[in-house]
Amino acid sequence: MAPSLCDAQKQARNCGLDISRLEALLEAIEKNLIQRSLSEKYKIMALLAATGLYSADDLAEMFNHSQKNLNADFNKNLGSHLKDYLELDERVGITSLRRVLFKKGYFVDINDDELVRVLPTRYVHNSQLEEPSASDSIINVQS
């Protein structure tokens, strides 16, 4: 079952998307380019695609949509309008939407407190992954 618009907004907000700014963009596209309302389905898809958590296949399954046609349908119903409105040279699809929105400033900055809390643990984790194991040392000595 597809999530509601409210659920998709919460999820996208939790992933750093500036919801009000994206909604303003979609509204401008509706008024200035297509002169009709976008379906709620494609608004939800855009929000979920912007999280970066879902592939096109995941979204096709969620919306009971043909996996074969989802990318083309997304481009026809929303992606091509985003490309035109944002004056992009590249196609805007499900997998590229997050990157495009990030480049255009549709994501909020990470809270400094959050950054301070996450980075030290990430550093410790990464340094532990990079430490050579005892067996690596033996192999290097014997070589």
Side-chain angles (χ1 to χ4, degrees):
M1 186 169 115
S4 69
L5 184 60
C6 184
D7 290 340
Q9 289 170 333
K10 284 180 191 175
Q11 196 167 17
R13 185 176 293 111
N14 289 340
C15 290
L17 186 66
D18 185 341
I19 300 298
S20 59
R21 188 155 183 230
L22 179 64
E23 287 176 344
L25 171 67
L26 296 177
E27 222 174 270
I29 288 172
E30 288 174 334
K31 288 180 181 176
N32 299 325
L33 287 181
I34 59 176
Q35 299 173 350
R36 63 174 170 80
S37 294
L38 286 168
S39 74
E40 188 169 297
K41 174 183 176 178
Y42 286 98
K43 288 179 183 180
I44 294 170
M45 269 191 211
L47 288 164
L48 295 177
T51 67
L53 301 173
Y54 302 99
S55 68
D57 290 342
D58 294 335
L59 292 176
E61 189 174 317
M62 260 186 231
F63 289 92
N64 197 24
H65 197 96
S66 162
Q67 290 179 345
K68 180 181 174 185
N69 298 328
L70 183 67
N71 284 315
D73 291 346
F74 182 85
N75 187 52
K76 181 179 90 178
N77 288 290
L78 182 58
S80 62
H81 304 302
L82 287 166
K83 178 185 175 190
D84 293 342
Y85 195 82
L86 296 173
E87 298 177 350
L88 301 170
D89 295 328
E90 61 187 296
R91 178 180 175 272
V92 181
I94 291 170
T95 54
S96 62
L97 181 61
R98 182 176 176 83
R99 179 177 36 81
V100 167
L101 292 176
F102 185 81
K103 282 182 182 178
K104 294 292 186 175
Y106 284 83
F107 282 83
V108 295
D109 291 334
I110 296 175
N111 182 328
D112 289 339
D113 294 335
E114 179 82 11
L115 191 61
V116 169
R117 195 175 76 243
V118 170
L119 286 179
T121 58
R122 176 67 63 172
Y123 177 75
V124 169
H125 177 74
N126 287 345
S127 64
Q128 288 171 348
L129 292 174
E130 293 173 2
E131 289 178 3
S133 66
S135 61
D136 291 341
S137 300
I138 293 170
I139 292 170
N140 290 336
V141 171
Q142 293 174 348
S143 301

PDB file of all heavy atoms in Angstrom, residues 13-45:
ATOM      1  N   ARG A  13      11.115  14.923   5.201  1.00  0.00           N
ATOM      2  CA  ARG A  13      11.614  15.920   6.159  1.00  0.00           C
ATOM      3  C   ARG A  13      12.709  15.306   7.029  1.00  0.00           C
ATOM      4  O   ARG A  13      13.730  15.923   7.289  1.00  0.00           O
ATOM      5  CB  ARG A  13      10.477  16.446   7.038  1.00  0.00           C
ATOM      6  CG  ARG A  13      10.902  17.576   7.968  1.00  0.00           C
ATOM      7  CD  ARG A  13       9.740  18.151   8.778  1.00  0.00           C
ATOM      8  NE  ARG A  13       8.784  18.831   7.908  1.00  0.00           N
ATOM      9  CZ  ARG A  13       7.548  18.388   7.660  1.00  0.00           C
ATOM     10  NH1 ARG A  13       7.102  17.294   8.215  1.00  0.00           N
ATOM     11  NH2 ARG A  13       6.745  19.061   6.862  1.00  0.00           N
ATOM     12  N   ASN A  14      12.504  14.067   7.455  1.00  0.00           N
ATOM     13  CA  ASN A  14      13.503  13.379   8.274  1.00  0.00           C
ATOM     14  C   ASN A  14      14.800  13.131   7.506  1.00  0.00           C
ATOM     15  O   ASN A  14      15.853  12.957   8.113  1.00  0.00           O
ATOM     16  CB  ASN A  14      12.951  12.051   8.797  1.00  0.00           C
ATOM     17  CG  ASN A  14      11.898  12.242   9.860  1.00  0.00           C
ATOM     18  OD1 ASN A  14      11.809  13.296  10.490  1.00  0.00           O
ATOM     19  ND2 ASN A  14      11.068  11.237  10.055  1.00  0.00           N
ATOM     20  N   CYS A  15      14.722  13.113   6.199  1.00  0.00           N
ATOM     21  CA  CYS A  15      15.912  12.926   5.360  1.00  0.00           C
ATOM     22  C   CYS A  15      16.527  14.260   4.935  1.00  0.00           C
ATOM     23  O   CYS A  15      17.431  14.296   4.111  1.00  0.00           O
ATOM     24  CB  CYS A  15      15.562  12.079   4.137  1.00  0.00           C
ATOM     25  SG  CYS A  15      15.237  10.363   4.556  1.00  0.00           S
ATOM     26  N   GLY A  16      16.018  15.364   5.475  1.00  0.00           N
ATOM     27  CA  GLY A  16      16.624  16.671   5.243  1.00  0.00           C
ATOM     28  C   GLY A  16      15.994  17.524   4.164  1.00  0.00           C
ATOM     29  O   GLY A  16      16.471  18.620   3.885  1.00  0.00           O
ATOM     30  N   LEU A  17      14.927  17.064   3.548  1.00  0.00           N
ATOM     31  CA  LEU A  17      14.286  17.838   2.477  1.00  0.00           C
ATOM     32  C   LEU A  17      13.513  19.010   3.054  1.00  0.00           C
ATOM     33  O   LEU A  17      12.817  18.879   4.061  1.00  0.00           O
ATOM     34  CB  LEU A  17      13.340  16.936   1.683  1.00  0.00           C
ATOM     35  CG  LEU A  17      12.693  17.535   0.453  1.00  0.00           C
ATOM     36  CD1 LEU A  17      13.743  17.837  -0.615  1.00  0.00           C
ATOM     37  CD2 LEU A  17      11.660  16.579  -0.120  1.00  0.00           C
ATOM     38  N   ASP A  18      13.643  20.164   2.436  1.00  0.00           N
ATOM     39  CA  ASP A  18      12.874  21.351   2.809  1.00  0.00           C
ATOM     40  C   ASP A  18      11.504  21.221   2.133  1.00  0.00           C
ATOM     41  O   ASP A  18      11.332  21.572   0.964  1.00  0.00           O
ATOM     42  CB  ASP A  18      13.604  22.607   2.345  1.00  0.00           C
ATOM     43  CG  ASP A  18      12.930  23.891   2.791  1.00  0.00           C
ATOM     44  OD1 ASP A  18      11.727  23.869   3.142  1.00  0.00           O
ATOM     45  OD2 ASP A  18      13.616  24.924   2.779  1.00  0.00           O
ATOM     46  N   ILE A  19      10.552  20.701   2.879  1.00  0.00           N
ATOM     47  CA  ILE A  19       9.225  20.374   2.339  1.00  0.00           C
ATOM     48  C   ILE A  19       8.517  21.605   1.792  1.00  0.00           C
ATOM     49  O   ILE A  19       7.957  21.567   0.697  1.00  0.00           O
ATOM     50  CB  ILE A  19       8.344  19.703   3.420  1.00  0.00           C
ATOM     51  CG1 ILE A  19       8.989  18.414   3.926  1.00  0.00           C
ATOM     52  CG2 ILE A  19       6.935  19.437   2.903  1.00  0.00           C
ATOM     53  CD1 ILE A  19       9.171  17.359   2.894  1.00  0.00           C
ATOM     54  N   SER A  20       8.545  22.691   2.524  1.00  0.00           N
ATOM     55  CA  SER A  20       7.822  23.890   2.064  1.00  0.00           C
ATOM     56  C   SER A  20       8.408  24.407   0.750  1.00  0.00           C
ATOM     57  O   SER A  20       7.670  24.853  -0.130  1.00  0.00           O
ATOM     58  CB  SER A  20       7.823  24.979   3.133  1.00  0.00           C
ATOM     59  OG  SER A  20       9.145  25.342   3.462  1.00  0.00           O
ATOM     60  N   ARG A  21       9.702  24.323   0.603  1.00  0.00           N
ATOM     61  CA  ARG A  21      10.334  24.792  -0.637  1.00  0.00           C
ATOM     62  C   ARG A  21       9.987  23.873  -1.809  1.00  0.00           C
ATOM     63  O   ARG A  21       9.709  24.349  -2.911  1.00  0.00           O
ATOM     64  CB  ARG A  21      11.845  24.872  -0.445  1.00  0.00           C
ATOM     65  CG  ARG A  21      12.526  25.526  -1.602  1.00  0.00           C
ATOM     66  CD  ARG A  21      13.834  26.152  -1.229  1.00  0.00           C
ATOM     67  NE  ARG A  21      14.347  26.807  -2.416  1.00  0.00           N
ATOM     68  CZ  ARG A  21      15.568  26.652  -2.878  1.00  0.00           C
ATOM     69  NH1 ARG A  21      16.433  25.928  -2.229  1.00  0.00           N
ATOM     70  NH2 ARG A  21      15.936  27.253  -3.984  1.00  0.00           N
ATOM     71  N   LEU A  22       9.987  22.558  -1.574  1.00  0.00           N
ATOM     72  CA  LEU A  22       9.608  21.624  -2.640  1.00  0.00           C
ATOM     73  C   LEU A  22       8.147  21.806  -3.016  1.00  0.00           C
ATOM     74  O   LEU A  22       7.796  21.802  -4.198  1.00  0.00           O
ATOM     75  CB  LEU A  22       9.872  20.170  -2.238  1.00  0.00           C
ATOM     76  CG  LEU A  22       9.479  19.154  -3.303  1.00  0.00           C
ATOM     77  CD1 LEU A  22      10.316  19.321  -4.576  1.00  0.00           C
ATOM     78  CD2 LEU A  22       9.601  17.741  -2.781  1.00  0.00           C
ATOM     79  N   GLU A  23       7.282  21.990  -2.027  1.00  0.00           N
ATOM     80  CA  GLU A  23       5.864  22.210  -2.324  1.00  0.00           C
ATOM     81  C   GLU A  23       5.669  23.478  -3.141  1.00  0.00           C
ATOM     82  O   GLU A  23       4.832  23.512  -4.050  1.00  0.00           O
ATOM     83  CB  GLU A  23       5.046  22.251  -1.035  1.00  0.00           C
ATOM     84  CG  GLU A  23       4.894  20.880  -0.406  1.00  0.00           C
ATOM     85  CD  GLU A  23       4.161  20.892   0.923  1.00  0.00           C
ATOM     86  OE1 GLU A  23       4.014  21.972   1.531  1.00  0.00           O
ATOM     87  OE2 GLU A  23       3.739  19.812   1.351  1.00  0.00           O
ATOM     88  N   ALA A  24       6.429  24.521  -2.842  1.00  0.00           N
ATOM     89  CA  ALA A  24       6.354  25.759  -3.620  1.00  0.00           C
ATOM     90  C   ALA A  24       6.810  25.506  -5.062  1.00  0.00           C
ATOM     91  O   ALA A  24       6.209  26.041  -6.006  1.00  0.00           O
ATOM     92  CB  ALA A  24       7.200  26.845  -2.975  1.00  0.00           C
ATOM     93  N   LEU A  25       7.833  24.695  -5.228  1.00  0.00           N
ATOM     94  CA  LEU A  25       8.305  24.340  -6.573  1.00  0.00           C
ATOM     95  C   LEU A  25       7.228  23.591  -7.343  1.00  0.00           C
ATOM     96  O   LEU A  25       6.930  23.926  -8.496  1.00  0.00           O
ATOM     97  CB  LEU A  25       9.578  23.493  -6.483  1.00  0.00           C
ATOM     98  CG  LEU A  25      10.074  22.867  -7.788  1.00  0.00           C
ATOM     99  CD1 LEU A  25      10.542  23.941  -8.767  1.00  0.00           C
ATOM    100  CD2 LEU A  25      11.199  21.877  -7.504  1.00  0.00           C
ATOM    101  N   LEU A  26       6.624  22.598  -6.712  1.00  0.00           N
ATOM    102  CA  LEU A  26       5.574  21.826  -7.376  1.00  0.00           C
ATOM    103  C   LEU A  26       4.372  22.703  -7.714  1.00  0.00           C
ATOM    104  O   LEU A  26       3.781  22.577  -8.789  1.00  0.00           O
ATOM    105  CB  LEU A  26       5.160  20.633  -6.508  1.00  0.00           C
ATOM    106  CG  LEU A  26       6.241  19.582  -6.265  1.00  0.00           C
ATOM    107  CD1 LEU A  26       5.730  18.489  -5.337  1.00  0.00           C
ATOM    108  CD2 LEU A  26       6.764  18.997  -7.566  1.00  0.00           C
ATOM    109  N   GLU A  27       4.035  23.613  -6.822  1.00  0.00           N
ATOM    110  CA  GLU A  27       2.933  24.551  -7.075  1.00  0.00           C
ATOM    111  C   GLU A  27       3.237  25.457  -8.271  1.00  0.00           C
ATOM    112  O   GLU A  27       2.374  25.711  -9.121  1.00  0.00           O
ATOM    113  CB  GLU A  27       2.705  25.409  -5.829  1.00  0.00           C
ATOM    114  CG  GLU A  27       1.259  25.618  -5.484  1.00  0.00           C
ATOM    115  CD  GLU A  27       1.134  26.359  -4.162  1.00  0.00           C
ATOM    116  OE1 GLU A  27       1.085  25.680  -3.123  1.00  0.00           O
ATOM    117  OE2 GLU A  27       1.084  27.607  -4.190  1.00  0.00           O
ATOM    118  N   ALA A  28       4.463  25.934  -8.340  1.00  0.00           N
ATOM    119  CA  ALA A  28       4.864  26.793  -9.461  1.00  0.00           C
ATOM    120  C   ALA A  28       4.802  26.021 -10.776  1.00  0.00           C
ATOM    121  O   ALA A  28       4.376  26.578 -11.799  1.00  0.00           O
ATOM    122  CB  ALA A  28       6.273  27.340  -9.222  1.00  0.00           C
ATOM    123  N   ILE A  29       5.199  24.777 -10.748  1.00  0.00           N
ATOM    124  CA  ILE A  29       5.122  23.945 -11.956  1.00  0.00           C
ATOM    125  C   ILE A  29       3.667  23.767 -12.369  1.00  0.00           C
ATOM    126  O   ILE A  29       3.331  23.871 -13.549  1.00  0.00           O
ATOM    127  CB  ILE A  29       5.821  22.589 -11.728  1.00  0.00           C
ATOM    128  CG1 ILE A  29       7.339  22.797 -11.680  1.00  0.00           C
ATOM    129  CG2 ILE A  29       5.443  21.574 -12.798  1.00  0.00           C
ATOM    130  CD1 ILE A  29       8.124  21.574 -11.262  1.00  0.00           C
ATOM    131  N   GLU A  30       2.801  23.513 -11.389  1.00  0.00           N
ATOM    132  CA  GLU A  30       1.378  23.343 -11.683  1.00  0.00           C
ATOM    133  C   GLU A  30       0.792  24.601 -12.327  1.00  0.00           C
ATOM    134  O   GLU A  30       0.057  24.524 -13.317  1.00  0.00           O
ATOM    135  CB  GLU A  30       0.604  23.016 -10.403  1.00  0.00           C
ATOM    136  CG  GLU A  30       0.854  21.628  -9.863  1.00  0.00           C
ATOM    137  CD  GLU A  30       0.197  21.388  -8.512  1.00  0.00           C
ATOM    138  OE1 GLU A  30      -0.036  22.360  -7.757  1.00  0.00           O
ATOM    139  OE2 GLU A  30      -0.082  20.225  -8.220  1.00  0.00           O
ATOM    140  N   LYS A  31       1.122  25.748 -11.784  1.00  0.00           N
ATOM    141  CA  LYS A  31       0.544  27.004 -12.269  1.00  0.00           C
ATOM    142  C   LYS A  31       1.183  27.485 -13.571  1.00  0.00           C
ATOM    143  O   LYS A  31       0.493  27.962 -14.463  1.00  0.00           O
ATOM    144  CB  LYS A  31       0.691  28.103 -11.214  1.00  0.00           C
ATOM    145  CG  LYS A  31      -0.208  27.918 -10.036  1.00  0.00           C
ATOM    146  CD  LYS A  31      -0.027  29.028  -9.040  1.00  0.00           C
ATOM    147  CE  LYS A  31      -0.931  28.805  -7.834  1.00  0.00           C
ATOM    148  NZ  LYS A  31      -0.712  29.811  -6.798  1.00  0.00           N
ATOM    149  N   ASN A  32       2.498  27.388 -13.666  1.00  0.00           N
ATOM    150  CA  ASN A  32       3.202  27.999 -14.788  1.00  0.00           C
ATOM    151  C   ASN A  32       3.461  27.087 -15.981  1.00  0.00           C
ATOM    152  O   ASN A  32       3.560  27.568 -17.101  1.00  0.00           O
ATOM    153  CB  ASN A  32       4.542  28.572 -14.313  1.00  0.00           C
ATOM    154  CG  ASN A  32       4.354  29.639 -13.254  1.00  0.00           C
ATOM    155  OD1 ASN A  32       3.403  30.402 -13.294  1.00  0.00           O
ATOM    156  ND2 ASN A  32       5.245  29.676 -12.288  1.00  0.00           N
ATOM    157  N   LEU A  33       3.600  25.802 -15.745  1.00  0.00           N
ATOM    158  CA  LEU A  33       3.941  24.918 -16.860  1.00  0.00           C
ATOM    159  C   LEU A  33       2.791  24.038 -17.323  1.00  0.00           C
ATOM    160  O   LEU A  33       2.462  24.017 -18.497  1.00  0.00           O
ATOM    161  CB  LEU A  33       5.133  24.019 -16.487  1.00  0.00           C
ATOM    162  CG  LEU A  33       6.504  24.674 -16.423  1.00  0.00           C
ATOM    163  CD1 LEU A  33       7.570  23.649 -16.062  1.00  0.00           C
ATOM    164  CD2 LEU A  33       6.856  25.332 -17.738  1.00  0.00           C
ATOM    165  N   ILE A  34       2.223  23.299 -16.393  1.00  0.00           N
ATOM    166  CA  ILE A  34       1.236  22.312 -16.836  1.00  0.00           C
ATOM    167  C   ILE A  34      -0.199  22.793 -16.699  1.00  0.00           C
ATOM    168  O   ILE A  34      -1.103  22.194 -17.258  1.00  0.00           O
ATOM    169  CB  ILE A  34       1.423  20.957 -16.118  1.00  0.00           C
ATOM    170  CG1 ILE A  34       1.292  21.091 -14.605  1.00  0.00           C
ATOM    171  CG2 ILE A  34       2.760  20.356 -16.466  1.00  0.00           C
ATOM    172  CD1 ILE A  34       1.366  19.773 -13.861  1.00  0.00           C
ATOM    173  N   GLN A  35      -0.396  23.853 -15.946  1.00  0.00           N
ATOM    174  CA  GLN A  35      -1.695  24.491 -15.761  1.00  0.00           C
ATOM    175  C   GLN A  35      -2.794  23.508 -15.359  1.00  0.00           C
ATOM    176  O   GLN A  35      -3.922  23.575 -15.825  1.00  0.00           O
ATOM    177  CB  GLN A  35      -2.070  25.276 -17.018  1.00  0.00           C
ATOM    178  CG  GLN A  35      -1.057  26.358 -17.283  1.00  0.00           C
ATOM    179  CD  GLN A  35      -1.284  27.064 -18.593  1.00  0.00           C
ATOM    180  OE1 GLN A  35      -2.077  26.652 -19.419  1.00  0.00           O
ATOM    181  NE2 GLN A  35      -0.567  28.154 -18.781  1.00  0.00           N
ATOM    182  N   ARG A  36      -2.379  22.581 -14.495  1.00  0.00           N
ATOM    183  CA  ARG A  36      -3.302  21.638 -13.863  1.00  0.00           C
ATOM    184  C   ARG A  36      -2.611  21.113 -12.616  1.00  0.00           C
ATOM    185  O   ARG A  36      -1.416  21.304 -12.432  1.00  0.00           O
ATOM    186  CB  ARG A  36      -3.671  20.484 -14.786  1.00  0.00           C
ATOM    187  CG  ARG A  36      -2.488  19.614 -15.180  1.00  0.00           C
ATOM    188  CD  ARG A  36      -2.890  18.379 -15.989  1.00  0.00           C
ATOM    189  NE  ARG A  36      -1.734  17.722 -16.536  1.00  0.00           N
ATOM    190  CZ  ARG A  36      -0.925  16.886 -15.866  1.00  0.00           C
ATOM    191  NH1 ARG A  36      -1.172  16.615 -14.616  1.00  0.00           N
ATOM    192  NH2 ARG A  36       0.112  16.336 -16.445  1.00  0.00           N
ATOM    193  N   SER A  37      -3.357  20.440 -11.771  1.00  0.00           N
ATOM    194  CA  SER A  37      -2.772  19.886 -10.551  1.00  0.00           C
ATOM    195  C   SER A  37      -2.034  18.590 -10.853  1.00  0.00           C
ATOM    196  O   SER A  37      -2.496  17.780 -11.660  1.00  0.00           O
ATOM    197  CB  SER A  37      -3.863  19.589  -9.526  1.00  0.00           C
ATOM    198  OG  SER A  37      -4.456  20.778  -9.098  1.00  0.00           O
ATOM    199  N   LEU A  38      -0.895  18.428 -10.211  1.00  0.00           N
ATOM    200  CA  LEU A  38      -0.204  17.145 -10.270  1.00  0.00           C
ATOM    201  C   LEU A  38      -0.990  16.150  -9.436  1.00  0.00           C
ATOM    202  O   LEU A  38      -1.586  16.527  -8.418  1.00  0.00           O
ATOM    203  CB  LEU A  38       1.194  17.267  -9.663  1.00  0.00           C
ATOM    204  CG  LEU A  38       2.244  17.986 -10.475  1.00  0.00           C
ATOM    205  CD1 LEU A  38       3.476  18.262  -9.614  1.00  0.00           C
ATOM    206  CD2 LEU A  38       2.639  17.146 -11.673  1.00  0.00           C
ATOM    207  N   SER A  39      -0.979  14.908  -9.837  1.00  0.00           N
ATOM    208  CA  SER A  39      -1.687  13.914  -9.033  1.00  0.00           C
ATOM    209  C   SER A  39      -0.937  13.706  -7.722  1.00  0.00           C
ATOM    210  O   SER A  39       0.280  13.878  -7.640  1.00  0.00           O
ATOM    211  CB  SER A  39      -1.812  12.592  -9.793  1.00  0.00           C
ATOM    212  OG  SER A  39      -0.564  11.934  -9.830  1.00  0.00           O
ATOM    213  N   GLU A  40      -1.681  13.354  -6.692  1.00  0.00           N
ATOM    214  CA  GLU A  40      -1.086  13.098  -5.380  1.00  0.00           C
ATOM    215  C   GLU A  40      -0.060  11.968  -5.479  1.00  0.00           C
ATOM    216  O   GLU A  40       0.961  11.983  -4.804  1.00  0.00           O
ATOM    217  CB  GLU A  40      -2.183  12.753  -4.369  1.00  0.00           C
ATOM    218  CG  GLU A  40      -1.644  12.672  -2.954  1.00  0.00           C
ATOM    219  CD  GLU A  40      -2.742  12.609  -1.917  1.00  0.00           C
ATOM    220  OE1 GLU A  40      -3.515  13.576  -1.816  1.00  0.00           O
ATOM    221  OE2 GLU A  40      -2.790  11.590  -1.212  1.00  0.00           O
ATOM    222  N   LYS A  41      -0.324  11.009  -6.358  1.00  0.00           N
ATOM    223  CA  LYS A  41       0.589   9.880  -6.553  1.00  0.00           C
ATOM    224  C   LYS A  41       1.989  10.366  -6.916  1.00  0.00           C
ATOM    225  O   LYS A  41       2.985   9.910  -6.344  1.00  0.00           O
ATOM    226  CB  LYS A  41       0.043   8.974  -7.667  1.00  0.00           C
ATOM    227  CG  LYS A  41       0.964   7.853  -8.071  1.00  0.00           C
ATOM    228  CD  LYS A  41       0.354   7.062  -9.220  1.00  0.00           C
ATOM    229  CE  LYS A  41       1.268   5.991  -9.734  1.00  0.00           C
ATOM    230  NZ  LYS A  41       0.651   5.204 -10.811  1.00  0.00           N
ATOM    231  N   TYR A  42       2.096  11.302  -7.833  1.00  0.00           N
ATOM    232  CA  TYR A  42       3.412  11.768  -8.272  1.00  0.00           C
ATOM    233  C   TYR A  42       4.044  12.721  -7.256  1.00  0.00           C
ATOM    234  O   TYR A  42       5.267  12.796  -7.163  1.00  0.00           O
ATOM    235  CB  TYR A  42       3.345  12.368  -9.672  1.00  0.00           C
ATOM    236  CG  TYR A  42       3.195  11.256 -10.686  1.00  0.00           C
ATOM    237  CD1 TYR A  42       1.962  10.914 -11.203  1.00  0.00           C
ATOM    238  CD2 TYR A  42       4.299  10.493 -11.065  1.00  0.00           C
ATOM    239  CE1 TYR A  42       1.821   9.851 -12.086  1.00  0.00           C
ATOM    240  CE2 TYR A  42       4.169   9.434 -11.940  1.00  0.00           C
ATOM    241  CZ  TYR A  42       2.925   9.118 -12.447  1.00  0.00           C
ATOM    242  OH  TYR A  42       2.793   8.056 -13.305  1.00  0.00           O
ATOM    243  N   LYS A  43       3.225  13.400  -6.474  1.00  0.00           N
ATOM    244  CA  LYS A  43       3.774  14.216  -5.391  1.00  0.00           C
ATOM    245  C   LYS A  43       4.406  13.303  -4.337  1.00  0.00           C
ATOM    246  O   LYS A  43       5.508  13.562  -3.852  1.00  0.00           O
ATOM    247  CB  LYS A  43       2.687  15.085  -4.757  1.00  0.00           C
ATOM    248  CG  LYS A  43       2.239  16.230  -5.635  1.00  0.00           C
ATOM    249  CD  LYS A  43       1.151  17.042  -4.956  1.00  0.00           C
ATOM    250  CE  LYS A  43       0.659  18.147  -5.861  1.00  0.00           C
ATOM    251  NZ  LYS A  43      -0.409  18.950  -5.229  1.00  0.00           N
ATOM    252  N   ILE A  44       3.705  12.231  -3.989  1.00  0.00           N
ATOM    253  CA  ILE A  44       4.227  11.274  -3.010  1.00  0.00           C
ATOM    254  C   ILE A  44       5.486  10.609  -3.560  1.00  0.00           C
ATOM    255  O   ILE A  44       6.485  10.469  -2.852  1.00  0.00           O
ATOM    256  CB  ILE A  44       3.157  10.225  -2.636  1.00  0.00           C
ATOM    257  CG1 ILE A  44       1.993  10.891  -1.900  1.00  0.00           C
ATOM    258  CG2 ILE A  44       3.766   9.105  -1.797  1.00  0.00           C
ATOM    259  CD1 ILE A  44       0.787   9.989  -1.699  1.00  0.00           C
ATOM    260  N   MET A  45       5.443  10.216  -4.829  1.00  0.00           N
ATOM    261  CA  MET A  45       6.622   9.599  -5.453  1.00  0.00           C
ATOM    262  C   MET A  45       7.824  10.542  -5.409  1.00  0.00           C
ATOM    263  O   MET A  45       8.938  10.113  -5.135  1.00  0.00           O
ATOM    264  CB  MET A  45       6.337   9.228  -6.913  1.00  0.00           C
ATOM    265  CG  MET A  45       5.828   7.859  -7.091  1.00  0.00           C
ATOM    266  SD  MET A  45       5.863   7.478  -8.850  1.00  0.00           S
ATOM    267  CE  MET A  45       4.497   6.381  -8.930  1.00  0.00           C
TER     268      MET A  45
END
